[in-house]
Amino acid sequence: MTDIEDTLACYLEETRSLIFTIKKSPDNFLLNLRLLSTTKDNSHLLGYETIFKLYKGIEDIYKALIDDKLIFSKYLKNLLDIVCDKILSCCDLLETTPEELSQVDVKPYLLYCDKAAAGEIFDPKHLLKLVKTNKNNSKRKTKANVFTKEEPEEKNQILQISSREITKNVNIHEEMIARTYIINNQVSMLKTAISNNDMHAIKEAYKLIAGDTQNLQNTLRMAHENLLGLIQDDIFLQKHQDLQGVFVTANDKKFLIQSEYIFDIICESPLNYEVVQNQKIVNYVLESETGNEEDSETEQVSVYSLSSLFPGQKAKNVNALDTILIVDYQTQRIGIIVDSVQKFVSVIKKNMPPAFRNFPGVTGLVFDEKYDMIPILHIPEIMKRFRSLRGYDVKKFEAFTKKHINKILIVDDSEITRQIVHAILVSNGYTVDEAVDGIDAMEKLKHKQFDLIVTDDNMPRMNGSILLDNIKRMENYKKVPVVVMADSPLEKADAFVSKADFSREILIKTIKRMLNDEK
Amino acid sequence: MADVEKEIENKDDSFLNLNESSYLIFSIHSHRYALKSTLIQEILYDCKIHYIPFTPEYIEGVLNCRGTPYTVINFLKIQNENDSEINEKVFLLFKRNDDQFCIHISNIEVFFEPEEEDIFEDKIKYKLKYIPLFDANIVEETMCRDLGTYD
């Protein structure tokens, strides 16, 4: 075995062992990350960039998990599993046809890893489908290599068949199965008749078998035609896409929410909401499968009003209870308050005009009973919008409700001056910190954001003038007023209070003017 | 884009049976525009506009043209005009094979056939006045950019 072969064998063993560890316990973040880092670097050194990129993708996910930016979910586990499988298949390729490794397309895997690491909502099923398609394609390619003949690409067709059609076909097939039993029975009767040499019985059995065989053939033909009909209908269905959901209204506007996202529909009195950080929360009771009340669980679900996302006036609520749709997507569950829920419908979906092909908010249109076009809301996007709305709401709420207390830094080398100014400012409702000179002040400014600085000029280590220069160079302090309280004014200062004729009133008046806090 | 336009023009499934060399002059408030009639799919009156959420302000919604949705564009809003609300319910549907959209207009003024010397690259001469040609491609590009079609 040459050195290169030896290295490759070691590398493959190491990689497979690591993948096995990750697949066995994907939630052992620290261990997996440590192992990953070594093997990832080896992939890079050996020039296996494809595997290196996949490792990097997994590493990013683990880093995000360790930093608590992500929660380990079954979706994440599935994704890790898929990416690990891909690494294993790359290892197999290294052993058989290493020259093909660089041609392996790992972009979809990396995209999903990125999505996961960024905390985005993703569905590994789509990646899984892609993996399956790729596997099929590679199998076909292998076949093609053996027979040195390209086979036409086979499309993985999905049939959509309505349940009524399925029931009809199942009934036909059950009838055919029943007929085969009857025919079997008649064949037994025929055997008996033959052994008894009973010509009359033989003739009767023969007639029955001939009749029932004919019937079976007719039914079989009918079933076959039905099946072909369904395949033809599928072209129509693929174009129009039948879907189910509920019509809801918000701000007098009507929307469709697909039933696949709806976990439950409940009514709740607005009085029963809890409010945590300006976020309405409802205590949603998850009934147990046994129906036993004692086994039921209560889950706190954040609720949002759909009306808040759209312009217009919210409909006047004549009901004492809010209607809430409990919707699920991946691991997230929220409640959406709607003005009303209309009937559950099974409708034909129309695609949006082509310009909307990447538009995330609406997935299509359906017609209601008035033949109005109703947009289908894309729930993952709605959830995203609610999350961003929440942060904004909290800020708005805080801005309106919480009185901002201005923080002032006093910079003076005289302890007595600091104490006097400190007492004056605190008694006027300000929060005060102290610094003994410019250097001390700079340190404090780095760690805390102040709304105003009062500084002396003549100080050891760093005087007021240099401090002022430094402050005005700091991005977050460019607009923060600096009041110089010294014997003489400084050029760059925003205000000056003379120490020589210091008065409490002048200081407070100056500070209030600087903070636009004059009432 | 010119090829696409030619291809569209060559199709003979127009609902408006118009001469190839005719032009339509329409108005949106006080602005007048000209459009080659072969680029027009249809003109609809009194249609209901169905709201589509989360779209830019200039997208008023969609209208239902025999079961097919057409995006309704308010061109005045694209141009940030102050008075951009259009009360008249007249919609000019474009004949395109890359998208389905229409513009909300105020009035159809006239269909006419200009003399060859009155046709310029970006305008036509009508009754001694120059009328700019309406460029639907700009609308399409704006819409695709804002709706993330190119993402």
Side-chain angles (χ1 to χ4, degrees):
Chain A
M1 199 181 258
T2 65
D3 281 353
I4 297 169
E5 282 171 341
D6 206 22
T7 313
L8 178 64
C10 282
Y11 169 77
L12 289 175
E13 194 185 332
E14 189 183 53
T15 302
R16 282 173 177 145
S17 158
L18 165 67
I19 296 301
F20 178 74
T21 314
I22 294 178
K23 280 172 86 83
K24 195 181 168 191
S25 51
D27 52 347
N28 195 345
F29 311 145
L30 284 170
L31 172 75
N32 291 344
L33 187 65
R34 200 172 62 240
L35 293 171
L36 258 171
S37 119
T38 324
T39 320
K40 182 195 77 180
D41 291 341
N42 288 344
S43 310
H44 188 52
L45 285 170
L46 290 165
Y48 306 141
E49 287 301 315
T50 313
I51 301 177
F52 171 77
K53 284 176 190 168
L54 291 169
Y55 270 138
K56 181 85 177 55
I58 300 181
E59 191 184 56
D60 289 345
I61 294 174
Y62 273 123
K63 280 181 180 168
L65 282 165
I66 288 167
D67 293 345
D68 284 335
K69 288 177 187 165
L70 282 182
I71 298 167
F72 190 75
S73 64
K74 65 174 181 179
Y75 294 98
L76 212 54
K77 184 181 175 295
N78 289 346
L79 178 65
L80 288 170
D81 226 32
I82 296 165
V83 181
C84 283
D85 285 344
K86 189 67 194 169
I87 293 176
L88 286 178
S89 77
C90 286
C91 287
D92 294 344
L93 210 62
L94 264 177
E95 281 182 322
T96 53
T97 46
E99 65 279 3
E100 283 180 16
L101 182 66
S102 59
Q103 290 158 20
V104 175
D105 180 22
V106 289
K107 275 183 193 165
Y109 296 86
L110 302 178
L111 179 75
Y112 273 74
C113 288
D114 277 354
K115 276 186 178 190
E120 277 184 35
I121 294 170
F122 68 94
D123 193 344
K125 270 186 200 168
H126 297 137
L127 183 59
L128 208 61
K129 271 184 192 170
L130 193 74
V131 172
K132 277 182 185 168
T133 318
N134 285 350
K135 272 185 184 170
N136 289 341
N137 287 343
S138 66
K139 271 181 194 171
R140 272 197 298 278
K141 271 184 189 170
T142 320
K143 270 188 186 175
N145 287 340
V146 173
F147 297 109
T148 61
K149 186 179 157 186
E150 286 283 331
E151 283 182 9
E153 200 169 306
E154 191 179 295
K155 280 189 181 171
N156 201 1
Q157 290 189 339
I158 299 162
L159 283 183
Q160 294 182 4
I161 303 172
S162 77
S163 56
R164 199 182 56 188
E165 286 298 326
I166 290 175
T167 313
K168 198 170 145 189
N169 273 275
V170 168
N171 287 342
I172 293 172
H173 280 85
E174 277 175 354
E175 194 189 328
M176 287 192 290
I177 293 165
R179 281 190 195 282
T180 57
Y181 281 114
I182 294 168
I183 292 169
N184 276 341
N185 199 25
Q186 286 160 356
V187 170
S188 305
M189 281 167 62
L190 182 63
K191 276 182 188 168
T192 317
I194 290 168
S195 63
N196 292 341
N197 206 14
D198 183 348
M199 283 308 288
H200 179 71
I202 291 170
K203 276 182 185 172
E204 281 303 313
Y206 169 73
K207 270 185 193 171
L208 286 170
I209 290 170
D212 276 306
T213 311
Q214 186 62 50
N215 282 339
L216 180 63
Q217 193 184 36
N218 291 343
T219 320
L220 197 58
R221 274 186 177 172
M222 194 168 73
H224 180 67
E225 274 169 17
N226 265 342
L227 209 57
L228 287 177
L230 288 176
I231 294 162
Q232 279 158 7
D233 277 350
D234 188 58
I235 298 163
F236 172 82
L237 284 169
Q238 273 186 354
K239 275 187 185 169
H240 294 81
Q241 299 167 50
D242 193 12
L243 65 86
Q244 292 171 330
V246 287
F247 282 133
V248 298
T249 60
N251 284 6
D252 284 335
K253 293 177 176 74
K254 196 169 176 181
F255 306 98
L256 184 109
I257 295 181
Q258 282 175 260
S259 50
E260 65 179 277
Y261 297 111
I262 303 171
F263 184 72
D264 201 355
I265 300 175
I266 58 167
C267 287
E268 188 64 68
S269 165
L271 301 171
N272 291 341
Y273 296 137
E274 285 178 27
V275 179
V276 180
Q277 289 183 329
N278 198 33
Q279 174 59 56
K280 281 184 197 168
I281 284 172
V282 69
N283 286 314
Y284 172 61
V285 182
L286 277 160
E287 284 175 12
S288 74
E289 285 177 8
T290 55
N292 193 344
E293 269 186 37
E294 285 173 6
D295 297 337
S296 60
E297 288 176 26
T298 303
E299 187 186 337
Q300 289 204 316
V301 176
S302 301
V303 289
Y304 305 86
S305 171
L306 191 59
S307 304
S308 64
L309 293 181
F310 311 120
Q313 285 289 310
K314 190 181 186 304
K316 282 180 185 171
N317 197 357
V318 288
N319 304 318
L321 300 175
D322 277 345
T323 308
I324 305 170
L325 267 73
I326 305 289
V327 296
D328 262 350
Y329 185 68
Q330 293 196 353
T331 52
Q332 298 174 49
R333 176 172 292 168
I334 64 162
I336 299 177
I337 304 169
V338 294
D339 294 347
S340 70
V341 171
Q342 296 182 356
K343 59 187 173 184
F344 172 83
V345 285
S346 182
V347 277
I348 297 291
K349 178 184 165 186
K350 287 289 285 187
N351 288 330
M352 293 291 288
F356 285 80
R357 74 179 76 97
N358 285 347
F359 184 65
V362 176
T363 56
L365 295 161
V366 292
F367 294 101
D368 70 354
E369 65 283 359
K370 291 178 191 164
Y371 214 57
D372 280 346
M373 285 181 154
I374 311 296
I376 306 163
L377 294 180
H378 188 220
I379 289 301
E381 176 65 18
I382 298 290
M383 289 167 102
K384 268 189 194 173
R385 283 175 186 262
F386 278 138
R387 280 207 302 268
S388 63
L389 188 79
R390 186 186 163 190
Y392 169 71
D393 270 358
V394 170
K395 281 178 193 161
K396 200 165 72 173
F397 176 77
E398 283 175 351
F400 279 102
T401 55
K402 283 188 185 172
K403 189 181 182 299
H404 180 71
I405 298 168
N406 287 308
K407 292 184 277 294
I408 298 174
L409 179 69
I410 306 164
V411 191
D412 205 310
D413 56 332
S414 159
E415 194 182 345
I416 298 168
T417 310
R418 288 203 309 270
Q419 279 178 3
I420 293 167
V421 178
H422 191 126
I424 294 169
L425 297 181
V426 168
S427 64
N428 276 274
Y430 298 109
T431 305
V432 181
D433 269 21
E434 294 175 21
V436 293
D437 56 33
I439 303 269
D440 191 16
M442 287 303 292
E443 198 59 35
K444 290 203 158 70
L445 293 172
K446 276 179 200 164
H447 296 106
K448 196 170 177 180
Q449 182 68 39
F450 292 90
D451 300 293
L452 186 138
I453 299 150
V454 179
T455 181
D456 187 9
D457 183 18
N458 192 12
M459 291 179 289
R461 299 208 292 175
M462 186 191 282
N463 65 19
S465 179
I466 299 169
L467 172 67
L468 200 54
D469 272 346
N470 286 330
I471 290 171
K472 294 298 174 189
R473 273 202 290 270
M474 290 167 83
E475 197 57 43
N476 53 333
Y477 276 97
K478 270 183 183 167
K479 289 179 182 171
V480 171
V482 179
V483 178
V484 167
M485 198 174 70
D487 296 329
S488 56
L490 289 176
E491 198 188 334
K492 288 180 183 171
D494 299 282
F496 170 67
V497 174
S498 171
K499 262 189 179 177
D501 52 354
F502 174 81
S503 86
R504 178 195 182 98
E505 285 73 29
I506 291 174
L507 177 67
I508 292 301
K509 202 176 169 187
T510 310
I511 287 174
K512 283 194 172 177
R513 181 162 50 84
M514 290 289 109
L515 292 170
N516 292 322
D517 196 20
E518 292 166 296
K519 283 170 192 167
Chain B
M1 205 60 87
D3 292 343
V4 175
E5 279 177 8
K6 271 183 188 169
E7 195 186 317
I8 295 164
E9 285 173 31
N10 291 337
K11 284 192 173 180
D12 57 352
D13 58 352
S14 171
F15 287 93
L16 294 160
N17 192 15
L18 293 163
N19 195 320
E20 268 192 22
S21 57
S22 72
Y23 279 77
L24 162 72
I25 293 179
F26 64 92
S27 63
I28 313 175
H29 283 191
S30 58
H31 306 278
R32 294 164 98 198
Y33 299 96
L35 187 68
K36 203 170 183 186
S37 55
T38 46
L39 296 172
I40 303 166
Q41 168 78 28
E42 203 165 345
I43 295 160
L44 294 176
Y45 294 87
D46 290 324
C47 274
K48 189 173 178 180
I49 302 173
H50 306 285
Y51 170 73
I52 302 293
F54 316 128
T55 51
E57 208 189 344
Y58 63 81
I59 295 181
E60 295 185 343
V62 288
L63 61 74
N64 180 358
C65 177
R66 290 181 293 279
T68 303
Y70 276 73
T71 316
V72 181
I73 302 292
N74 184 324
F75 190 63
L76 297 177
K77 286 186 178 167
I78 290 184
Q79 294 195 311
N80 293 319
E81 295 271 339
N82 288 331
D83 179 20
S84 57
E85 293 308 320
I86 304 164
N87 296 324
E88 299 84 3
K89 289 186 174 178
V90 189
F91 304 95
L92 188 61
L93 278 65
F94 291 94
K95 190 196 285 182
R96 301 180 71 94
N97 50 15
D98 59 343
D99 202 1
Q100 298 132 222
F101 75 87
C102 63
I103 52 167
H104 193 168
I105 63 171
S106 302
N107 192 24
I108 296 290
E109 302 226 334
V110 68
F111 276 99
F112 86 114
E113 284 184 42
E115 297 297 325
E116 230 173 78
E117 63 268 23
D118 290 339
I119 303 170
F120 301 89
E121 198 182 338
D122 57 347
K123 63 193 171 198
I124 57 165
K125 199 174 173 184
Y126 173 67
K127 287 185 180 174
L128 302 173
K129 282 185 179 172
Y130 289 106
I131 315 262
L133 286 172
F134 188 86
D135 190 352
N137 293 329
I138 291 176
V139 176
E140 173 70 7
E141 278 168 22
T142 308
M143 197 166 40
C144 287
R145 187 194 61 222
D146 294 344
L147 295 174
T149 317
Y150 300 134
D151 292 349

